[in-house]
Amino acid sequence: MTAQLYCFGESGNAYKAALTLTLCGIDWEPVYVDFFNGGARTPDYLAMNVMGEVPYFIDGDVKLSQSGVIQHYAVETSGKLGGKTPADAREVMRWVLWDNQKMSGTAGGLRFLTNFLAPEKRSSDVIAFTTGRVMAALKVLNTALEGRDWLVGDDVTIADIACCGYLFYPEPFGFERTDWANIDRWLGNIERLPNWKHPYDMMPGSPADRA
């Protein structure tokens, strides 16, 4: 049975799960969640995932939410992208947890505030504060990638896929690849991986659909 990933193209968290599943060679199909029209808050969806969030993953009897957990399951199932040693695996987890709080955890919110929230609801103070958090996270990531092709070891892991989750999107949120030489080079490495796709090509749903 083909696994299902409940997702939508604008979600960087869903993209982390989708790209990880793809790179791990796990057969999956997208199930579109109409997030911007309340699709993650319907009774049926909440009955599946009480958190009311995307992504949500079903593989037979396995049912998972939270992108990091789905990534970890893909590593367990495939034996790929988890690092080559126990020490690598711990380092991978360190970066996944860091991303969830510091990188995606702030970049996703800032991108939403500046692109998808109605202009009259945008707070300049919140945007300024969140921009500072995103810039600080980007500095950490750029420094960690100095002289390195990947965040952990000598090959791609879910640490890389977690931390890149929001950095391929075209909507402006203060991130310019050309301003961050190490991140730019690293994103190029990811783009050259077999079966890599842009989030809007990997999952259904994009801002153009709502234009």
Side-chain angles (χ1 to χ4, degrees), residues 82-101:
K84 295 179 180 179
T85 68
D88 282 351
R90 291 189 292 271
E91 185 70 359
V92 167
M93 183 57 66
R94 187 171 79 104
W95 279 108
V96 169
L97 294 174
W98 176 85
D99 165 76
N100 289 181
Q101 181 185 13

Side-chain angles (χ1 to χ4, degrees), residues 154-206:
D154 59 3
D155 204 353
V156 61
T157 66
I158 59 170
D160 303 289
I161 306 309
C163 291
C164 80
Y166 280 93
L167 303 185
F168 286 114
Y169 283 96
E171 296 83 24
F173 60 97
F175 169 65
E176 296 289 344
R177 281 180 62 163
T178 53
D179 293 340
W180 305 90
N182 296 330
I183 293 175
D184 184 34
R185 173 177 47 78
W186 167 73
L187 290 176
N189 293 340
I190 295 171
E191 287 172 318
R192 287 187 289 274
L193 293 170
N195 299 317
W196 177 88
K197 289 184 179 180
H198 187 277
Y200 290 149
D201 296 324
M202 181 163 277
M203 301 176 294
S206 75

Side-chain angles (χ1 to χ4, degrees), residues 113-171:
L113 285 170
T114 54
N115 293 276
F116 302 133
L117 190 67
E120 65 273 14
K121 296 181 179 180
R122 299 174 188 174
S123 166
S124 58
D125 289 341
V126 173
I127 288 172
F129 173 79
T130 310
T131 297
R133 296 290 301 275
V134 170
M135 292 302 110
L138 288 168
K139 183 177 180 180
V140 170
L141 183 60
N142 195 68
T143 299
L145 288 165
E146 181 68 34
R148 302 185 60 85
D149 289 331
W150 308 106
L151 282 169
V152 180
D154 59 3
D155 204 353
V156 61
T157 66
I158 59 170
D160 303 289
I161 306 309
C163 291
C164 80
Y166 280 93
L167 303 185
F168 286 114
Y169 283 96
E171 296 83 24

Side-chain angles (χ1 to χ4, degrees), residues 38-132:
R41 297 292 181 178
T42 66
D44 287 346
Y45 193 84
L46 289 171
M48 290 194 307
N49 180 10
V50 69
M51 294 179 179
E53 296 176 339
V54 172
Y56 185 69
F57 178 71
I58 299 176
D59 187 8
D61 293 333
V62 175
K63 300 176 181 180
L64 305 171
S65 65
Q66 299 298 319
S67 60
V69 177
I70 298 168
Q71 288 187 292
H72 184 64
Y73 174 78
V75 169
E76 288 182 323
T77 302
S78 69
K80 301 176 181 179
L81 302 187
K84 295 179 180 179
T85 68
D88 282 351
R90 291 189 292 271
E91 185 70 359
V92 167
M93 183 57 66
R94 187 171 79 104
W95 279 108
V96 169
L97 294 174
W98 176 85
D99 165 76
N100 289 181
Q101 181 185 13
K102 296 293 182 69
M103 187 74 263
S104 292
T106 54
L110 181 59
R111 177 170 161 267
F112 180 82
L113 285 170
T114 54
N115 293 276
F116 302 133
L117 190 67
E120 65 273 14
K121 296 181 179 180
R122 299 174 188 174
S123 166
S124 58
D125 289 341
V126 173
I127 288 172
F129 173 79
T130 310
T131 297

